[in-house]
Amino acid sequence: MKEQWCLRVPVRDGEAARRNAIAEGVADRSLRPRVEDGYLLIPVLFECVGAVTAEFVENQAVEELPRHEQIGGIVVLQDDDARGAEKILAARPSAHTALFATSPVEGEFRTKTFKVLAGIDTTETMYHEYGRRMKIDLTAAYFSARLANERQRILSQMKTNEKILDMFAGVGPFPVMLGACANLVIANDLNPEAVLLMQKNIRLNHLTNVIPMLGDAKNLAEILSPMQFDRIIMNLPMDAAAFLAAAAPLTKPGTVVHLYSLVEREGEHNAEIFRVFPNAKVTEHVLRSYSPTSWHAVYDIEVS
Ligand SMILES: C[S@@+](CC[C@H](N)C(=O)[O-])C[C@H]1O[C@@H](n2cnc3c(N)ncnc32)[C@H](O)[C@@H]1O
């Protein structure tokens, strides 16, 4: 068994990690895990090497490593720490590159710049999420693995034959994840690089009902009317509420709009939501804290 084809986790976390790897579809079940020097080596399918999800990695024991997030084969460190980066790559056989973000998320395309701290000089990787594969390029287009659970929550709410619009689709994580259960997904983004990656991701996942679109969300009603959608995803956390009026003509009674936003108080967007959708049923969920005074929230807006 080649060690670089295995996940290496402390034995005490081994059973949970093995179960996760099987659930994620990355474990090679034809090979038996084995113990070596206090670690459990879990064989990984060849096509999944370098591509385990951030969520999976967060479940592993990482206390002795510098803080980092793993997206496919890339680890992103919180600090500009080249020695720490080498340590992480040595401990994470599934990772090929360690990066440090040299800018915040910025610009219309919500991208970051990165410095390579260790490993292969690339910002591209293959990311796996609940059995789906996605090509990611962290400098070319926005991507975050942190909404993986949120995508499953939406999937679990879907009824059969839904028509879905994703107004800010990026490289397509929501469309790819929801596509197999939908009748049709229209997936729009302003960033041409994101749309190119999204096209690849649609193909990679053999979806024939997801239509990628390059455009400004503010023009979607004009282009897509008289279509009406069962579900609309609005994931532009700094500004999505400003696009509610643009989404409104594409809704009907019963449409559910999922509006993602960074907020500093509960109900921050209620006034805007009720102005555009009077009598809507609105539920707000906290997804995660973003800073000591703000958090990432999703508003589920059921149009009446
Ligand atoms: C926070 S990212 C979300 C991407 C994707 N939904 C995800 O979860 O990974 C926001 C996306 O909106 C796109 N965007 C920004 N302004 C836009 C606009 N006016 N019309 C369409 N897309 C826009 C950006 O290019 C970016 O890909």
Short mmCIF file of all heavy atoms in Angstrom, two decimals, residues 104-165:
data_model
loop_
_atom_site.label_atom_id
_atom_site.label_comp_id
_atom_site.label_asym_id
_atom_site.label_seq_id
_atom_site.Cartn_x
_atom_site.Cartn_y
_atom_site.Cartn_z
N PRO A 104 -7.70 40.21 1.28
CA PRO A 104 -9.04 39.73 1.69
C PRO A 104 -9.85 39.38 0.45
O PRO A 104 -9.39 39.60 -0.68
CB PRO A 104 -9.64 40.95 2.40
CG PRO A 104 -8.92 42.12 1.81
CD PRO A 104 -7.55 41.64 1.39
N VAL A 105 -11.04 38.83 0.63
CA VAL A 105 -11.95 38.64 -0.50
C VAL A 105 -12.27 40.02 -1.04
O VAL A 105 -12.65 40.91 -0.28
CB VAL A 105 -13.25 37.95 -0.03
CG1 VAL A 105 -14.24 37.84 -1.17
CG2 VAL A 105 -12.95 36.57 0.53
N GLU A 106 -12.06 40.24 -2.35
CA GLU A 106 -12.23 41.62 -2.84
C GLU A 106 -12.75 41.67 -4.26
O GLU A 106 -12.72 40.67 -4.98
CB GLU A 106 -10.89 42.38 -2.74
CG GLU A 106 -9.79 41.74 -3.57
CD GLU A 106 -8.41 42.32 -3.29
OE1 GLU A 106 -8.25 43.18 -2.41
OE2 GLU A 106 -7.47 41.89 -3.98
N GLY A 107 -13.22 42.84 -4.64
CA GLY A 107 -13.69 43.08 -6.01
C GLY A 107 -15.05 42.45 -6.26
O GLY A 107 -15.60 41.73 -5.42
N GLU A 108 -15.57 42.74 -7.45
CA GLU A 108 -16.89 42.20 -7.83
C GLU A 108 -16.91 40.68 -7.85
O GLU A 108 -17.90 40.05 -7.54
CB GLU A 108 -17.24 42.69 -9.24
CG GLU A 108 -18.03 43.96 -9.27
CD GLU A 108 -18.50 44.29 -10.67
OE1 GLU A 108 -17.73 44.08 -11.63
OE2 GLU A 108 -19.64 44.76 -10.80
N PHE A 109 -15.74 40.10 -8.22
CA PHE A 109 -15.71 38.64 -8.36
C PHE A 109 -15.45 37.93 -7.03
O PHE A 109 -15.42 36.71 -6.97
CB PHE A 109 -14.64 38.22 -9.38
CG PHE A 109 -14.89 38.73 -10.78
CD1 PHE A 109 -13.85 38.78 -11.71
CD2 PHE A 109 -16.15 39.17 -11.18
CE1 PHE A 109 -14.07 39.24 -13.00
CE2 PHE A 109 -16.38 39.64 -12.46
CZ PHE A 109 -15.34 39.68 -13.38
N ARG A 110 -15.23 38.69 -5.97
CA ARG A 110 -15.03 38.16 -4.61
C ARG A 110 -13.86 37.17 -4.55
O ARG A 110 -13.95 36.10 -3.94
CB ARG A 110 -16.32 37.48 -4.08
CG ARG A 110 -17.60 38.27 -4.25
CD ARG A 110 -17.52 39.68 -3.74
NE ARG A 110 -17.34 39.76 -2.31
CZ ARG A 110 -16.58 40.70 -1.71
NH1 ARG A 110 -15.93 41.60 -2.40
NH2 ARG A 110 -16.46 40.72 -0.40
N THR A 111 -12.76 37.51 -5.21
CA THR A 111 -11.60 36.61 -5.22
C THR A 111 -10.51 37.12 -4.25
O THR A 111 -10.59 38.24 -3.76
CB THR A 111 -11.00 36.51 -6.64
OG1 THR A 111 -10.89 37.82 -7.16
CG2 THR A 111 -11.88 35.68 -7.54
N LYS A 112 -9.51 36.26 -4.01
CA LYS A 112 -8.37 36.61 -3.16
C LYS A 112 -7.10 36.36 -3.94
O LYS A 112 -7.11 35.57 -4.89
CB LYS A 112 -8.31 35.66 -1.95
CG LYS A 112 -9.36 35.83 -0.92
CD LYS A 112 -9.07 34.82 0.21
CE LYS A 112 -10.19 34.77 1.21
NZ LYS A 112 -9.97 33.75 2.25
N THR A 113 -6.00 36.98 -3.52
CA THR A 113 -4.70 36.59 -4.07
C THR A 113 -3.99 35.73 -3.02
O THR A 113 -4.25 35.86 -1.82
CB THR A 113 -3.83 37.83 -4.41
OG1 THR A 113 -3.78 38.66 -3.25
CG2 THR A 113 -4.44 38.60 -5.56
N PHE A 114 -3.08 34.86 -3.50
CA PHE A 114 -2.43 33.91 -2.60
C PHE A 114 -0.92 33.87 -2.86
O PHE A 114 -0.46 34.13 -3.97
CB PHE A 114 -2.97 32.49 -2.82
CG PHE A 114 -4.39 32.32 -2.39
CD1 PHE A 114 -5.44 32.50 -3.29
CD2 PHE A 114 -4.69 31.97 -1.09
CE1 PHE A 114 -6.75 32.35 -2.89
CE2 PHE A 114 -6.01 31.82 -0.68
CZ PHE A 114 -7.04 32.01 -1.58
N LYS A 115 -0.20 33.51 -1.81
CA LYS A 115 1.23 33.22 -1.94
C LYS A 115 1.37 31.73 -1.67
O LYS A 115 0.73 31.19 -0.75
CB LYS A 115 1.93 34.05 -0.86
CG LYS A 115 3.32 33.70 -0.53
CD LYS A 115 3.78 34.70 0.54
CE LYS A 115 5.10 34.28 1.14
NZ LYS A 115 5.51 35.17 2.23
N VAL A 116 2.21 31.06 -2.49
CA VAL A 116 2.43 29.63 -2.27
C VAL A 116 3.49 29.48 -1.17
O VAL A 116 4.61 29.97 -1.30
CB VAL A 116 2.90 28.93 -3.57
CG1 VAL A 116 3.19 27.45 -3.31
CG2 VAL A 116 1.84 29.09 -4.66
N LEU A 117 3.14 28.81 -0.08
CA LEU A 117 4.08 28.63 1.03
C LEU A 117 4.89 27.35 0.88
O LEU A 117 6.04 27.27 1.32
CB LEU A 117 3.32 28.56 2.36
CG LEU A 117 2.58 29.82 2.82
CD1 LEU A 117 1.83 29.55 4.11
CD2 LEU A 117 3.58 30.96 3.03
N ALA A 118 4.28 26.32 0.31
CA ALA A 118 4.98 25.02 0.16
C ALA A 118 4.22 24.18 -0.84
O ALA A 118 3.05 24.42 -1.12
CB ALA A 118 5.03 24.31 1.51
N GLY A 119 4.93 23.19 -1.39
CA GLY A 119 4.29 22.25 -2.31
C GLY A 119 4.27 22.75 -3.74
O GLY A 119 5.06 23.61 -4.13
N ILE A 120 3.33 22.24 -4.51
CA ILE A 120 3.25 22.56 -5.94
C ILE A 120 2.71 23.98 -6.12
O ILE A 120 1.79 24.40 -5.41
CB ILE A 120 2.31 21.55 -6.65
CG1 ILE A 120 2.86 20.13 -6.47
CG2 ILE A 120 2.14 21.86 -8.12
CD1 ILE A 120 1.89 19.05 -6.89
N ASP A 121 3.29 24.70 -7.09
CA ASP A 121 2.92 26.10 -7.33
C ASP A 121 1.62 26.17 -8.14
O ASP A 121 1.63 26.28 -9.36
CB ASP A 121 4.07 26.78 -8.09
CG ASP A 121 3.80 28.25 -8.30
OD1 ASP A 121 2.74 28.74 -7.88
OD2 ASP A 121 4.68 28.91 -8.89
N THR A 122 0.51 26.06 -7.45
CA THR A 122 -0.79 26.11 -8.13
C THR A 122 -1.87 26.60 -7.17
O THR A 122 -1.71 26.48 -5.94
CB THR A 122 -1.20 24.72 -8.67
OG1 THR A 122 -2.42 24.84 -9.39
CG2 THR A 122 -1.39 23.71 -7.57
N THR A 123 -2.95 27.15 -7.73
CA THR A 123 -4.12 27.46 -6.90
C THR A 123 -5.31 26.63 -7.38
O THR A 123 -6.44 26.88 -7.00
CB THR A 123 -4.46 28.97 -6.95
OG1 THR A 123 -4.59 29.37 -8.32
CG2 THR A 123 -3.40 29.80 -6.27
N GLU A 124 -5.02 25.65 -8.26
CA GLU A 124 -6.10 24.78 -8.77
C GLU A 124 -6.13 23.47 -8.00
O GLU A 124 -5.09 22.94 -7.63
CB GLU A 124 -5.85 24.45 -10.24
CG GLU A 124 -6.03 25.62 -11.16
CD GLU A 124 -5.79 25.23 -12.61
OE1 GLU A 124 -5.80 24.02 -12.91
OE2 GLU A 124 -5.59 26.14 -13.41
N THR A 125 -7.32 22.94 -7.84
CA THR A 125 -7.44 21.64 -7.20
C THR A 125 -8.77 21.00 -7.57
O THR A 125 -9.64 21.65 -8.14
CB THR A 125 -7.31 21.75 -5.66
OG1 THR A 125 -7.28 20.44 -5.09
CG2 THR A 125 -8.48 22.51 -5.04
N MET A 126 -8.91 19.75 -7.23
CA MET A 126 -10.19 19.05 -7.41
C MET A 126 -10.76 18.88 -6.00
O MET A 126 -10.09 18.40 -5.10
CB MET A 126 -9.95 17.69 -8.06
CG MET A 126 -11.21 17.00 -8.48
SD MET A 126 -12.10 17.88 -9.78
CE MET A 126 -11.20 17.35 -11.23
N TYR A 127 -11.99 19.30 -5.84
CA TYR A 127 -12.65 19.28 -4.53
C TYR A 127 -13.81 18.28 -4.57
O TYR A 127 -14.53 18.24 -5.58
CB TYR A 127 -13.14 20.69 -4.22
CG TYR A 127 -14.15 20.78 -3.11
CD1 TYR A 127 -13.74 20.72 -1.78
CD2 TYR A 127 -15.51 20.96 -3.38
CE1 TYR A 127 -14.67 20.82 -0.75
CE2 TYR A 127 -16.43 21.06 -2.36
CZ TYR A 127 -16.00 20.98 -1.05
OH TYR A 127 -16.93 21.07 -0.04
N HIS A 128 -13.95 17.50 -3.54
CA HIS A 128 -15.05 16.53 -3.47
C HIS A 128 -16.02 16.93 -2.37
O HIS A 128 -15.59 17.29 -1.27
CB HIS A 128 -14.52 15.13 -3.15
CG HIS A 128 -13.88 14.47 -4.31
ND1 HIS A 128 -14.18 13.19 -4.70
CD2 HIS A 128 -12.95 14.90 -5.18
CE1 HIS A 128 -13.48 12.86 -5.77
NE2 HIS A 128 -12.70 13.89 -6.07
N GLU A 129 -17.31 16.84 -2.67
CA GLU A 129 -18.32 17.15 -1.64
C GLU A 129 -19.49 16.20 -1.83
O GLU A 129 -20.15 16.22 -2.87
CB GLU A 129 -18.76 18.61 -1.80
CG GLU A 129 -19.72 19.07 -0.71
CD GLU A 129 -20.09 20.55 -0.87
OE1 GLU A 129 -19.18 21.40 -0.84
OE2 GLU A 129 -21.28 20.85 -1.05
N TYR A 130 -19.72 15.37 -0.83
CA TYR A 130 -20.85 14.43 -0.87
C TYR A 130 -20.98 13.73 -2.22
O TYR A 130 -22.05 13.74 -2.84
CB TYR A 130 -22.16 15.16 -0.51
CG TYR A 130 -22.21 15.57 0.95
CD1 TYR A 130 -21.81 16.84 1.36
CD2 TYR A 130 -22.64 14.67 1.92
CE1 TYR A 130 -21.85 17.21 2.69
CE2 TYR A 130 -22.67 15.03 3.26
CZ TYR A 130 -22.29 16.30 3.62
OH TYR A 130 -22.33 16.66 4.95
N GLY A 131 -19.87 13.17 -2.67
CA GLY A 131 -19.92 12.37 -3.90
C GLY A 131 -19.87 13.18 -5.20
O GLY A 131 -19.91 12.60 -6.28
N ARG A 132 -19.81 14.50 -5.11
CA ARG A 132 -19.69 15.34 -6.32
C ARG A 132 -18.25 15.85 -6.42
O ARG A 132 -17.60 16.04 -5.40
CB ARG A 132 -20.63 16.54 -6.25
CG ARG A 132 -22.07 16.18 -6.03
CD ARG A 132 -22.78 15.98 -7.33
NE ARG A 132 -24.00 15.22 -7.12
CZ ARG A 132 -24.59 14.50 -8.04
NH1 ARG A 132 -24.08 14.42 -9.25
NH2 ARG A 132 -25.69 13.84 -7.79
N ARG A 133 -17.83 16.12 -7.68
CA ARG A 133 -16.46 16.62 -7.89
C ARG A 133 -16.51 18.01 -8.48
O ARG A 133 -17.36 18.27 -9.34
CB ARG A 133 -15.73 15.73 -8.91
CG ARG A 133 -15.50 14.34 -8.42
CD ARG A 133 -14.51 13.64 -9.31
NE ARG A 133 -15.05 13.37 -10.64
CZ ARG A 133 -14.29 13.11 -11.70
NH1 ARG A 133 -12.98 13.13 -11.59
NH2 ARG A 133 -14.84 12.85 -12.87
N MET A 134 -15.62 18.87 -8.05
CA MET A 134 -15.59 20.22 -8.63
C MET A 134 -14.17 20.71 -8.80
O MET A 134 -13.34 20.58 -7.90
CB MET A 134 -16.34 21.20 -7.73
CG MET A 134 -17.83 21.17 -7.96
SD MET A 134 -18.69 22.16 -6.75
CE MET A 134 -19.00 20.93 -5.51
N LYS A 135 -13.90 21.26 -9.99
CA LYS A 135 -12.60 21.87 -10.25
C LYS A 135 -12.66 23.29 -9.68
O LYS A 135 -13.60 24.04 -9.95
CB LYS A 135 -12.35 21.88 -11.76
CG LYS A 135 -11.07 22.49 -12.14
CD LYS A 135 -10.26 21.56 -13.03
CE LYS A 135 -8.83 22.04 -13.12
NZ LYS A 135 -8.56 22.73 -14.34
N ILE A 136 -11.64 23.63 -8.93
CA ILE A 136 -11.60 24.92 -8.23
C ILE A 136 -10.30 25.61 -8.62
O ILE A 136 -9.27 24.96 -8.76
CB ILE A 136 -11.53 24.67 -6.69
CG1 ILE A 136 -12.61 23.72 -6.20
CG2 ILE A 136 -11.51 25.96 -5.90
CD1 ILE A 136 -13.99 24.23 -6.30
N ASP A 137 -10.34 26.93 -8.80
CA ASP A 137 -9.11 27.71 -8.90
C ASP A 137 -9.29 28.90 -7.97
O ASP A 137 -10.05 29.82 -8.28
CB ASP A 137 -8.85 28.15 -10.34
CG ASP A 137 -7.52 28.90 -10.45
OD1 ASP A 137 -7.04 29.39 -9.41
OD2 ASP A 137 -6.99 29.00 -11.57
N LEU A 138 -8.59 28.87 -6.85
CA LEU A 138 -8.88 29.83 -5.79
C LEU A 138 -8.55 31.27 -6.17
O LEU A 138 -9.10 32.21 -5.57
CB LEU A 138 -8.14 29.44 -4.50
CG LEU A 138 -8.63 28.15 -3.85
CD1 LEU A 138 -7.74 27.75 -2.69
CD2 LEU A 138 -10.07 28.29 -3.38
N THR A 139 -7.65 31.49 -7.15
CA THR A 139 -7.39 32.88 -7.56
C THR A 139 -8.37 33.33 -8.64
O THR A 139 -8.66 34.52 -8.74
CB THR A 139 -5.97 33.10 -8.13
OG1 THR A 139 -5.70 32.09 -9.06
CG2 THR A 139 -4.93 33.13 -7.06
N ALA A 140 -8.87 32.40 -9.43
CA ALA A 140 -9.72 32.78 -10.57
C ALA A 140 -11.17 33.05 -10.17
O ALA A 140 -11.84 33.89 -10.76
CB ALA A 140 -9.69 31.68 -11.62
N ALA A 141 -11.65 32.32 -9.17
CA ALA A 141 -13.07 32.43 -8.82
C ALA A 141 -13.26 32.10 -7.35
O ALA A 141 -12.55 31.26 -6.79
CB ALA A 141 -13.90 31.47 -9.68
N TYR A 142 -14.26 32.72 -6.77
CA TYR A 142 -14.57 32.49 -5.36
C TYR A 142 -14.96 31.03 -5.13
O TYR A 142 -15.70 30.45 -5.90
CB TYR A 142 -15.75 33.39 -4.95
CG TYR A 142 -16.22 33.13 -3.54
CD1 TYR A 142 -15.74 33.86 -2.48
CD2 TYR A 142 -17.15 32.11 -3.28
CE1 TYR A 142 -16.17 33.61 -1.19
CE2 TYR A 142 -17.58 31.85 -1.99
CZ TYR A 142 -17.09 32.61 -0.95
OH TYR A 142 -17.50 32.33 0.33
N PHE A 143 -14.47 30.47 -4.03
CA PHE A 143 -15.01 29.18 -3.60
C PHE A 143 -14.84 29.06 -2.08
O PHE A 143 -13.80 29.42 -1.54
CB PHE A 143 -14.32 27.99 -4.27
CG PHE A 143 -14.91 26.69 -3.79
CD1 PHE A 143 -16.15 26.29 -4.25
CD2 PHE A 143 -14.29 25.94 -2.81
CE1 PHE A 143 -16.75 25.13 -3.77
CE2 PHE A 143 -14.88 24.78 -2.32
CZ PHE A 143 -16.12 24.38 -2.81
N SER A 144 -15.85 28.55 -1.43
CA SER A 144 -15.72 28.22 -0.01
C SER A 144 -16.39 26.87 0.23
O SER A 144 -17.51 26.64 -0.24
CB SER A 144 -16.39 29.29 0.85
OG SER A 144 -16.51 28.79 2.18
N ALA A 145 -15.67 26.02 0.96
CA ALA A 145 -16.23 24.71 1.29
C ALA A 145 -17.15 24.80 2.50
O ALA A 145 -17.79 23.82 2.87
CB ALA A 145 -15.09 23.74 1.58
N ARG A 146 -17.21 25.98 3.12
CA ARG A 146 -17.91 26.07 4.40
C ARG A 146 -19.43 25.97 4.28
O ARG A 146 -20.10 25.80 5.28
CB ARG A 146 -17.54 27.38 5.09
CG ARG A 146 -16.09 27.35 5.49
CD ARG A 146 -15.70 28.50 6.33
NE ARG A 146 -14.31 28.33 6.72
CZ ARG A 146 -13.51 29.31 7.04
NH1 ARG A 146 -13.96 30.54 7.00
NH2 ARG A 146 -12.26 29.07 7.37
N LEU A 147 -19.94 26.10 3.05
CA LEU A 147 -21.39 25.99 2.90
C LEU A 147 -21.82 24.57 2.51
O LEU A 147 -22.96 24.36 2.10
CB LEU A 147 -21.90 27.00 1.87
CG LEU A 147 -21.85 28.47 2.32
CD1 LEU A 147 -22.51 29.37 1.28
CD2 LEU A 147 -22.52 28.68 3.67
N ALA A 148 -20.91 23.60 2.67
CA ALA A 148 -21.23 22.22 2.28
C ALA A 148 -22.49 21.73 3.01
O ALA A 148 -23.39 21.14 2.40
CB ALA A 148 -20.05 21.31 2.55
N ASN A 149 -22.56 21.96 4.31
CA ASN A 149 -23.73 21.51 5.07
C ASN A 149 -24.99 22.25 4.65
O ASN A 149 -26.08 21.69 4.63
CB ASN A 149 -23.52 21.70 6.58
CG ASN A 149 -22.51 20.72 7.10
OD1 ASN A 149 -22.25 19.71 6.47
ND2 ASN A 149 -21.93 21.01 8.25
N GLU A 150 -24.82 23.53 4.34
CA GLU A 150 -25.95 24.35 3.91
C GLU A 150 -26.53 23.81 2.60
O GLU A 150 -27.74 23.75 2.40
CB GLU A 150 -25.48 25.80 3.76
CG GLU A 150 -26.49 26.77 3.27
CD GLU A 150 -27.75 26.87 4.11
OE1 GLU A 150 -27.77 26.39 5.25
OE2 GLU A 150 -28.74 27.42 3.59
N ARG A 151 -25.65 23.39 1.70
CA ARG A 151 -26.13 22.83 0.43
C ARG A 151 -26.95 21.56 0.70
O ARG A 151 -27.97 21.32 0.05
CB ARG A 151 -24.95 22.54 -0.51
CG ARG A 151 -24.30 23.83 -1.01
CD ARG A 151 -23.27 23.56 -2.07
NE ARG A 151 -21.91 23.47 -1.59
CZ ARG A 151 -21.11 24.51 -1.37
NH1 ARG A 151 -21.52 25.73 -1.57
NH2 ARG A 151 -19.87 24.34 -0.93
N GLN A 152 -26.52 20.77 1.69
CA GLN A 152 -27.29 19.56 2.03
C GLN A 152 -28.63 19.94 2.65
O GLN A 152 -29.64 19.28 2.42
CB GLN A 152 -26.49 18.68 3.01
CG GLN A 152 -25.23 18.09 2.41
CD GLN A 152 -25.51 17.31 1.13
OE1 GLN A 152 -26.33 16.40 1.12
NE2 GLN A 152 -24.84 17.67 0.04
N ARG A 153 -28.65 21.02 3.44
CA ARG A 153 -29.92 21.45 4.04
C ARG A 153 -30.92 21.82 2.94
O ARG A 153 -32.08 21.42 2.99
CB ARG A 153 -29.67 22.67 4.96
CG ARG A 153 -30.92 23.13 5.70
CD ARG A 153 -30.66 24.38 6.52
NE ARG A 153 -30.56 25.58 5.72
CZ ARG A 153 -31.57 26.38 5.41
NH1 ARG A 153 -32.78 26.10 5.84
NH2 ARG A 153 -31.38 27.46 4.67
N ILE A 154 -30.45 22.54 1.94
CA ILE A 154 -31.36 22.94 0.86
C ILE A 154 -31.81 21.71 0.07
O ILE A 154 -32.98 21.56 -0.26
CB ILE A 154 -30.67 23.98 -0.04
CG1 ILE A 154 -30.49 25.23 0.81
CG2 ILE A 154 -31.50 24.26 -1.29
CD1 ILE A 154 -30.05 26.43 0.11
N LEU A 155 -30.85 20.82 -0.20
CA LEU A 155 -31.18 19.59 -0.91
C LEU A 155 -32.30 18.84 -0.18
O LEU A 155 -33.24 18.33 -0.81
CB LEU A 155 -29.91 18.73 -1.00
CG LEU A 155 -29.89 17.56 -1.94
CD1 LEU A 155 -30.12 18.01 -3.37
CD2 LEU A 155 -28.53 16.84 -1.86
N SER A 156 -32.20 18.82 1.14
CA SER A 156 -33.19 18.05 1.91
C SER A 156 -34.57 18.72 1.87
O SER A 156 -35.58 18.09 2.15
CB SER A 156 -32.73 17.89 3.36
OG SER A 156 -32.86 19.13 4.02
N GLN A 157 -34.62 20.01 1.54
CA GLN A 157 -35.93 20.71 1.46
C GLN A 157 -36.57 20.59 0.09
O GLN A 157 -37.74 20.93 -0.09
CB GLN A 157 -35.73 22.21 1.71
CG GLN A 157 -35.39 22.55 3.14
CD GLN A 157 -35.30 24.07 3.31
OE1 GLN A 157 -35.51 24.84 2.39
NE2 GLN A 157 -34.96 24.47 4.51
N MET A 158 -35.79 20.14 -0.91
CA MET A 158 -36.29 20.20 -2.29
C MET A 158 -37.40 19.19 -2.55
O MET A 158 -37.38 18.08 -2.06
CB MET A 158 -35.14 19.95 -3.28
CG MET A 158 -34.34 21.20 -3.54
SD MET A 158 -32.88 20.84 -4.52
CE MET A 158 -33.56 20.15 -6.00
N LYS A 159 -38.36 19.65 -3.35
CA LYS A 159 -39.42 18.74 -3.80
C LYS A 159 -39.03 18.27 -5.21
O LYS A 159 -38.07 18.79 -5.77
CB LYS A 159 -40.75 19.48 -3.82
CG LYS A 159 -41.13 20.05 -2.46
CD LYS A 159 -42.54 20.61 -2.48
CE LYS A 159 -42.90 21.22 -1.14
NZ LYS A 159 -42.29 22.55 -0.92
N THR A 160 -39.80 17.33 -5.75
CA THR A 160 -39.43 16.84 -7.08
C THR A 160 -39.69 17.91 -8.15
O THR A 160 -40.59 18.74 -8.01
CB THR A 160 -40.23 15.57 -7.44
OG1 THR A 160 -41.58 15.81 -7.12
CG2 THR A 160 -39.71 14.35 -6.73
N ASN A 161 -38.87 17.88 -9.18
CA ASN A 161 -39.08 18.72 -10.37
C ASN A 161 -38.97 20.22 -10.16
O ASN A 161 -39.62 21.00 -10.85
CB ASN A 161 -40.46 18.43 -10.98
CG ASN A 161 -40.36 17.26 -11.93
OD1 ASN A 161 -39.29 17.03 -12.51
ND2 ASN A 161 -41.44 16.52 -12.07
N GLU A 162 -38.17 20.62 -9.19
CA GLU A 162 -38.05 22.07 -8.95
C GLU A 162 -37.24 22.75 -10.05
O GLU A 162 -36.28 22.18 -10.59
CB GLU A 162 -37.34 22.32 -7.61
CG GLU A 162 -38.22 22.04 -6.42
CD GLU A 162 -37.65 22.64 -5.14
OE1 GLU A 162 -36.58 23.27 -5.16
OE2 GLU A 162 -38.31 22.47 -4.09
N LYS A 163 -37.62 24.00 -10.34
CA LYS A 163 -36.82 24.87 -11.20
C LYS A 163 -36.08 25.83 -10.29
O LYS A 163 -36.70 26.53 -9.48
CB LYS A 163 -37.72 25.66 -12.16
CG LYS A 163 -38.31 24.80 -13.25
CD LYS A 163 -39.01 25.66 -14.29
CE LYS A 163 -39.47 24.86 -15.49
NZ LYS A 163 -40.11 23.60 -15.23
N ILE A 164 -34.75 25.84 -10.44
CA ILE A 164 -33.92 26.61 -9.50
C ILE A 164 -33.11 27.65 -10.25
O ILE A 164 -32.60 27.38 -11.35
CB ILE A 164 -32.97 25.63 -8.74
CG1 ILE A 164 -33.80 24.62 -7.95
CG2 ILE A 164 -32.01 26.39 -7.83
CD1 ILE A 164 -33.00 23.61 -7.18
N LEU A 165 -32.97 28.82 -9.65
CA LEU A 165 -32.09 29.86 -10.19
C LEU A 165 -31.02 30.16 -9.13
O LEU A 165 -31.36 30.41 -7.97
CB LEU A 165 -32.89 31.13 -10.49
CG LEU A 165 -32.07 32.38 -10.83
CD1 LEU A 165 -31.30 32.19 -12.13
CD2 LEU A 165 -32.98 33.62 -10.93
#
